Amino acid sequence: SDWTCTCRAPLQGQAVAKASLCTVDECVETACATCAKTTCSDAGQTCVESNPSSTSLSDWVCRCVAPFVGSATAKAALCKVNECSETSSTCTTCAKGACSGATPAQTCTEPNDSAHSLSDWTCTCAPPLSGTATAKAATCVIDECTATC
């Protein structure tokens, strides 16, 4: 009763005098066909293996790192961020109230929430004022000849 069952690589596990429970962390292991290898890390994302069972393969998940959101199973995620509504300190390109806190208050618009399209948010003045600026508060002006106050 001193025999040992050891799982074959890339599986991990060992048991004495009985069958071993073999597991594989597809986020860590690099020697398996279904493993994440560097898919998530190359994309600047975190890899999560929720079920390391040897019968549950290709279930690892790439998760975006804050302030970005998004996840995908067995592939890199498409990360997104709304620079108008995101307020975390990790978002260095976000508006963080630049529009709503301006005088007068302005509307913030995010035309493209892709993680590859940053600093594209705009502040727009509310009528009867006019003015728009990208990635900063707008300078609001009024045309006194055409405006109805």
Side-chain angles (χ1 to χ4, degrees):
S1 66
D2 62 347
W3 52 275
T4 303
C5 279
T6 303
C7 302
R8 291 183 182 174
L11 303 178
Q12 297 178 359
Q14 187 173 358
V16 176
K18 63 180 179 179
S20 61
L21 176 62
C22 298
T23 62
V24 61
D25 185 336
E26 294 173 288
C27 290
V28 175
E29 185 58 54
T30 60
C32 66
T34 62
C35 290
K37 295 181 179 55
T38 60
T39 301
C40 300
S41 60
D42 285 352
Q45 301 169 12
T46 302
C47 187
V48 177
E49 172 63 86
S50 60
N51 186 355
S53 166
S54 62
T55 60
S56 178
L57 300 175
S58 298
D59 61 344
W60 51 273
V61 175
C62 284
R63 288 202 178 130
C64 302
V65 177
F68 304 104
V69 294
S71 64
T73 301
K75 64 181 179 181
L78 296 174
C79 299
K80 299 182 176 209
V81 63
N82 183 323
E83 293 175 290
C84 288
S85 60
E86 179 59 50
T87 59
S88 72
S89 61
T90 56
C91 186
T92 58
T93 62
C94 290
K96 295 182 188 155
C99 302
S100 60
T103 304
Q106 302 166 19
T107 302
C108 187
T109 305
E110 172 62 84
N112 185 345
D113 63 0
S114 166
H116 301 291
S117 181
L118 300 176
S119 299
D120 60 345
W121 50 275
T122 59
C123 288
T124 305
C125 303
L129 303 174
S130 63
T132 299
T134 301
K136 63 180 182 180
T139 300
C140 299
V141 295
I142 188 165
D143 183 341
E144 294 171 344
C145 295
T146 59
T148 304
C149 298

